[in-house]
Amino acid sequence: MFRPHLKKLKAYSLEKADYKAKLNQNESPYDLPEDLKEKILEELRKTSWNRYPSPWADPLCKKIAEKEGWDPEGVLASAGSNRLIHFLVQATSLKGRVLTISPSFSLYRAEASLVESKAIKFPLNPDDFSLPLEKFLRVFKRTRPDITFLANPNAPTGNLFPQEDLLEIVKLGKRLGRIVVVDEAYYQFAKQTLKGSLKKYPNLVLLRTFSKAFSLGGVRLGILLANPKVVAEVKKVMPPFMINHFQQAVGSVVLESDSFVEEVVQKTLQERGRVRQRLQEFPGVYPYPSDTNFILFKLPRSRQVFHHLLSNGILVRPMTFEGLPDCLRVTVGTAAENDLFLNTLAEAV
């Protein structure tokens, strides 16, 4: 009853565990304050719940466009940026080629597999996860991928790629008529974005999420910034009414709450620096530099350490990616959560 190809794939699964500190999914540890929640409820009270929402969340997209200084027709919202990755692959590649880097966000390869496209994984330099640009450009020219995904900062490694290197890839994509997607899920923590290059490169697509700096992981809201012609094509494979009244109300209110978002970012950066410094003091532990809200670190017996943390209610992420042996990833939490993690890790190492 199902495609033979589908039978070979595994469904997403995440084991649930009791925890004292949940530091395994790169969520914001800070919930929205009560005053913002009240504003959201007020917006919802004004809404007719019996009516369908705007098909393409136009009021929200207009607010985003004003915030970003971009054409509203070049903004697309969906129920999480994961869904936008799905629609981008659907719109560009069917039994084709999807190029990405390794290690990086696994969903790019998973979505390629769903449409029976070949996922081309280009390896980063193993010592610092930098991108060997000239080699990457040669692979791009040779394989001519239908679409390319580059996370910047990269996940799960946490490093930032030079803007000039990314633009060289975008330029090549423009010459070959290929979409290049730069996933900026963590850009607020890195203070860097390619938004200023959107007008120059009509093949450039930027992905953003409300799950990290905006503290809205539970709302499922992601956006895409691109040339309006690109957005018009992606809409053809995307069902309307994907953003409901609640998501639009939450997104609209939080977009206007710059002080809250900046506070989340600043507290995260401060704790990130403190946690990484402490990790450097542990024998045998090497924390990689990070421009995100998480830290990747390498240590001996990582599997045993992971289980020690887990048994004490500290959830971190074991790395099963290629090129990341003996690595764990920890989300930067609140000061109290980070102390629990560091103290429990000290016992293990």
Side-chain angles (χ1 to χ4, degrees):
M1 293 187 291
F2 298 96
R3 286 189 294 144
H5 175 76
L6 193 65
K7 288 287 191 179
K8 303 174 186 177
L9 305 180
K10 291 183 178 180
Y12 178 82
S13 64
L14 183 68
E15 291 185 13
K16 292 185 178 181
D18 294 329
Y19 60 85
K20 298 175 185 174
K22 189 173 185 293
L23 305 173
N24 62 336
Q25 288 189 285
N26 300 345
E27 301 152 308
S28 169
Y30 309 105
D31 196 5
L32 293 190
E34 286 302 315
D35 63 324
L36 291 187
K37 289 185 176 182
E38 286 299 323
K39 286 183 181 179
I40 292 165
L41 292 175
E42 285 301 317
E43 288 297 315
L44 284 170
R45 289 188 184 101
K46 300 175 188 175
T47 305
S48 299
W49 293 12
N50 59 311
R51 302 299 181 188
Y52 286 112
S54 168
W56 306 109
D58 290 337
L60 177 61
C61 289
K62 185 177 180 181
K63 283 192 175 184
I64 293 168
E66 290 172 357
K67 192 90 173 174
E68 299 292 343
W70 189 237
D71 188 338
E73 297 298 317
V75 180
L76 188 58
S78 183
S81 56
N82 288 3
R83 301 298 296 148
L84 292 168
I85 294 168
H86 172 80
F87 298 130
L88 283 163
V89 172
Q90 270 200 329
T92 58
S93 184
L94 179 61
K95 295 186 178 181
R97 293 171 300 279
V98 175
L99 175 60
T100 187
I101 52 180
S102 180
S104 191
F105 189 32
S106 59
L107 193 69
Y108 309 140
R109 301 192 299 275
E111 290 295 346
S113 183
L114 280 177
V115 293
E116 299 182 55
S117 286
K118 180 182 180 182
I120 304 166
K121 298 180 290 183
F122 182 88
L124 298 173
N125 287 323
D127 52 346
D128 61 357
F129 309 120
S130 59
L131 177 65
L133 179 63
E134 293 306 319
K135 289 182 181 179
F136 187 88
L137 293 174
R138 287 198 293 271
V139 170
F140 197 118
K141 289 176 184 175
R142 186 179 74 249
T143 61
R144 292 178 174 256
D146 303 304
I147 189 167
T148 300
F149 288 94
L150 298 162
N152 197 48
N154 190 35
T157 59
N159 60 307
L160 193 65
F161 301 119
Q163 285 190 324
E164 55 270 23
D165 288 2
L166 294 176
L167 289 177
E168 285 300 315
I169 297 167
V170 175
K171 287 177 190 175
L172 177 59
K174 182 181 178 183
R175 289 203 301 272
L176 298 178
R178 299 293 192 269
I179 294 283
V180 176
V181 181
V182 177
D183 190 340
E184 295 187 335
Y186 302 94
Y187 83 100
Q188 290 104 326
F189 305 105
K191 310 291 186 182
Q192 182 172 303
T193 173
L194 287 183
K195 185 181 67 177
S197 300
L198 281 173
K199 190 171 290 187
K200 186 175 181 180
Y201 300 105
N203 66 314
L204 173 62
V205 174
L206 299 183
L207 287 179
R208 303 276 183 83
T209 179
F210 279 69
S211 297
K212 313 302 180 184
F214 288 104
S215 295
L216 296 177
V219 175
R220 309 309 303 133
L221 186 59
I223 63 167
L224 174 158
L225 302 176
N227 184 285
K229 292 182 179 179
V230 170
V231 170
E233 294 302 313
V234 176
K235 279 183 176 178
K236 293 178 182 178
V237 298
M238 179 176 167
F241 309 112
M242 287 205 70
I243 303 298
N244 61 40
H245 290 308
F246 174 70
Q247 290 165 309
Q248 291 197 53
V250 176
S252 296
V253 169
V254 176
L255 271 176
E256 298 170 352
S257 308
D258 292 330
S259 59
F260 166 71
V261 177
E262 185 58 29
E263 182 183 357
V264 169
V265 170
Q266 290 307 315
K267 286 195 288 190
T268 302
L269 296 183
Q270 183 176 345
E271 281 298 300
R272 185 183 73 192
R274 183 176 75 89
V275 172
R276 186 167 185 271
Q277 184 175 350
R278 282 286 308 279
L279 287 173
Q280 288 175 313
E281 298 169 2
F282 292 145
V285 176
Y286 176 70
Y288 290 93
S290 175
D291 286 289
T292 62
N293 69 340
F294 62 83
I295 299 171
L296 178 76
F297 60 103
K298 189 172 184 177
L299 73 169
R301 300 180 296 109
S302 63
R303 178 59 62 173
Q304 292 96 316
V305 172
F306 166 76
H307 284 293
H308 178 80
L309 291 167
L310 181 63
S311 66
N312 284 275
I314 313 298
L315 304 188
V316 300
R317 182 76 178 268
M319 291 288 96
T320 56
F321 295 80
E322 294 176 55
L324 297 179
D326 296 319
C327 284
L328 301 176
R329 189 195 69 197
V330 60
T331 306
V332 178
T334 63
E337 289 173 327
N338 296 332
D339 285 340
L340 273 173
F341 159 69
L342 291 166
N343 293 337
T344 309
L345 181 66
E347 296 170 0
V349 301

